[in-house]
Amino acid sequence: MPLLASHYSCTGCFTCANLCGKGAITMFADDEGFLMPQIDASRCMECGLCENKCPVLNPLNSNHKNQKAYAIINYADRKNSSSGGAFSLFARYVLAHKGVVFGATIDETFQVFHTKIDNVDDLDKLRSSKYVQSVIGDCYEEVKRELRSGKKVLFTGTPCQVAGLYAFLGKRGEDNLITLDLVCHGVPNHNVFNAYLEKLKASIRLNNGNGIVTGFRFRKLDSWDYRPAVKFAETKWQLLEQEDNAYMSAFFKGLIYRESCFRCQYANLNRVGDFTIADFWGIGRHGIPFKKNVSSGVSLVLDNSGKMKNILNELEKHAYIEERELREALIENENLKSPVERPKFRDSAVKDFLDENFSLLDYSIKYKLLKKENVKYYVNKYLKNIIYTLGLYNVYKTITYKLGK
């Protein structure tokens, strides 16, 4: 039998499942809810393809040289994007050349999975952050078919998903393929997220304990406030705070990540994608002034493969692009330097989220997720709520868009 990556190192990238022509490998949720490959011995031909192509067991040698860092503000899409709109800029470029774009979407049942779009009108499906590991499914095979048909393809995902695509394709020299890997903290799973939504439904403070969740936003796009928001049937969007925001608070503490995230081979400058995208945290604060307004988001883009020179002129027609020093990009992007350290209570943190009898308040207290509610906290909270309610941030983004044109 082939020897696949261990429970502690498997990234759930779906490469092995996509490669097996006999359908001997399926992905199943382990006790914590993370998808892991399982081999059906009755179907396995022991060809070894899964073991030999696994990007964990056979790391890809990126060998990038002369990486360049860029700050990007895509004014046209900044209002609808988590940061400076870099993903939308690349997506528009590929779609304008009659190509297709692959990325993560979330459906009405709150399942996050990779899908394909072929027109600008569907860009919203792939925009915004989703802090759940996306299910790849048979997406790699679709990418292969589109490339063979001669189309340009943009694939966006976590570094392990981009590595999985390259392992599946068996080569990196696809002229029509552009890959964007995300600077990733780590990934929780659907079981934990779904358990969280159930706990939100039980919140007396939010919906008297009997609501149905009809919408969830991991990050707000129309406010300086990064708090998520939830919508119940027949209610308005509500910003989440303190224990109601336990999922994202646990996320940023690394309490609910996949085991392999704490050993991530891509949490450094040895990137696997053609480009790496992230928020450009700290731009202009470390010795090199930045002349643009950064308060509504600037994207960091690393050119890892030298492809930027071929498309820069076209991208610059639609965005402000400035080359910056690579060292500046590293200063406040910790996950470009090392993986997140595994928290001491990580195992119980996942288990407690899955426990239906463990309330969000109990969870927030046990894992110290609650902030001190002093005067400064309340002033900050209510000012942000006023800005959000009056729609002032949307006005601000509209003005900066017009000034930037």
Side-chain angles (χ1 to χ4, degrees), residues 105-113:
T105 190
I106 185 168
D107 66 14
E108 63 278 0
T109 66
F110 306 105
Q111 298 303 294
V112 180
F113 58 94

Short mmCIF file of all heavy atoms in Angstrom, two decimals, residues 105-113:
data_model
loop_
_atom_site.label_atom_id
_atom_site.label_comp_id
_atom_site.label_asym_id
_atom_site.label_seq_id
_atom_site.Cartn_x
_atom_site.Cartn_y
_atom_site.Cartn_z
N THR A 105 -15.06 30.04 -3.07
CA THR A 105 -16.35 30.70 -2.90
C THR A 105 -17.06 30.08 -1.70
O THR A 105 -16.63 29.05 -1.18
CB THR A 105 -17.22 30.54 -4.17
OG1 THR A 105 -18.37 31.38 -4.07
CG2 THR A 105 -17.68 29.09 -4.35
N ILE A 106 -18.12 30.72 -1.25
CA ILE A 106 -18.92 30.18 -0.16
C ILE A 106 -20.38 30.18 -0.59
O ILE A 106 -20.87 31.17 -1.14
CB ILE A 106 -18.71 30.99 1.14
CG1 ILE A 106 -19.46 30.35 2.31
CG2 ILE A 106 -19.08 32.46 0.96
CD1 ILE A 106 -19.05 30.93 3.67
N ASP A 107 -21.08 29.08 -0.39
CA ASP A 107 -22.46 28.99 -0.86
C ASP A 107 -23.46 29.30 0.25
O ASP A 107 -23.09 29.66 1.36
CB ASP A 107 -22.73 27.62 -1.51
CG ASP A 107 -22.66 26.45 -0.52
OD1 ASP A 107 -22.67 26.70 0.71
OD2 ASP A 107 -22.61 25.30 -0.97
N GLU A 108 -24.73 29.12 -0.07
CA GLU A 108 -25.79 29.49 0.88
C GLU A 108 -25.83 28.58 2.10
O GLU A 108 -26.45 28.91 3.11
CB GLU A 108 -27.17 29.48 0.18
CG GLU A 108 -27.63 28.13 -0.35
CD GLU A 108 -27.03 27.79 -1.70
OE1 GLU A 108 -26.25 28.61 -2.24
OE2 GLU A 108 -27.36 26.70 -2.23
N THR A 109 -25.16 27.42 2.02
CA THR A 109 -25.08 26.52 3.18
C THR A 109 -23.78 26.73 3.94
O THR A 109 -23.45 25.94 4.82
CB THR A 109 -25.20 25.05 2.75
OG1 THR A 109 -24.07 24.68 1.94
CG2 THR A 109 -26.48 24.82 1.95
N PHE A 110 -23.02 27.76 3.57
CA PHE A 110 -21.76 28.14 4.22
C PHE A 110 -20.65 27.11 4.02
O PHE A 110 -19.77 26.98 4.86
CB PHE A 110 -21.98 28.43 5.71
CG PHE A 110 -23.05 29.45 5.95
CD1 PHE A 110 -24.30 29.08 6.41
CD2 PHE A 110 -22.83 30.79 5.65
CE1 PHE A 110 -25.30 30.01 6.61
CE2 PHE A 110 -23.83 31.74 5.82
CZ PHE A 110 -25.07 31.35 6.31
N GLN A 111 -20.71 26.41 2.90
CA GLN A 111 -19.62 25.52 2.53
C GLN A 111 -18.66 26.29 1.63
O GLN A 111 -19.09 26.97 0.69
CB GLN A 111 -20.16 24.28 1.79
CG GLN A 111 -21.09 23.43 2.64
CD GLN A 111 -20.43 22.97 3.94
OE1 GLN A 111 -19.48 22.19 3.91
NE2 GLN A 111 -20.92 23.44 5.07
N VAL A 112 -17.37 26.19 1.91
CA VAL A 112 -16.34 26.88 1.14
C VAL A 112 -15.66 25.87 0.21
O VAL A 112 -15.20 24.83 0.66
CB VAL A 112 -15.29 27.54 2.07
CG1 VAL A 112 -14.21 28.25 1.25
CG2 VAL A 112 -15.97 28.52 3.01
N PHE A 113 -15.64 26.19 -1.07
CA PHE A 113 -15.06 25.27 -2.04
C PHE A 113 -14.52 26.04 -3.24
O PHE A 113 -14.89 27.20 -3.48
CB PHE A 113 -16.11 24.25 -2.52
CG PHE A 113 -17.33 24.88 -3.13
CD1 PHE A 113 -17.43 25.07 -4.51
CD2 PHE A 113 -18.39 25.29 -2.33
CE1 PHE A 113 -18.55 25.66 -5.08
CE2 PHE A 113 -19.52 25.89 -2.89
CZ PHE A 113 -19.60 26.07 -4.26
#
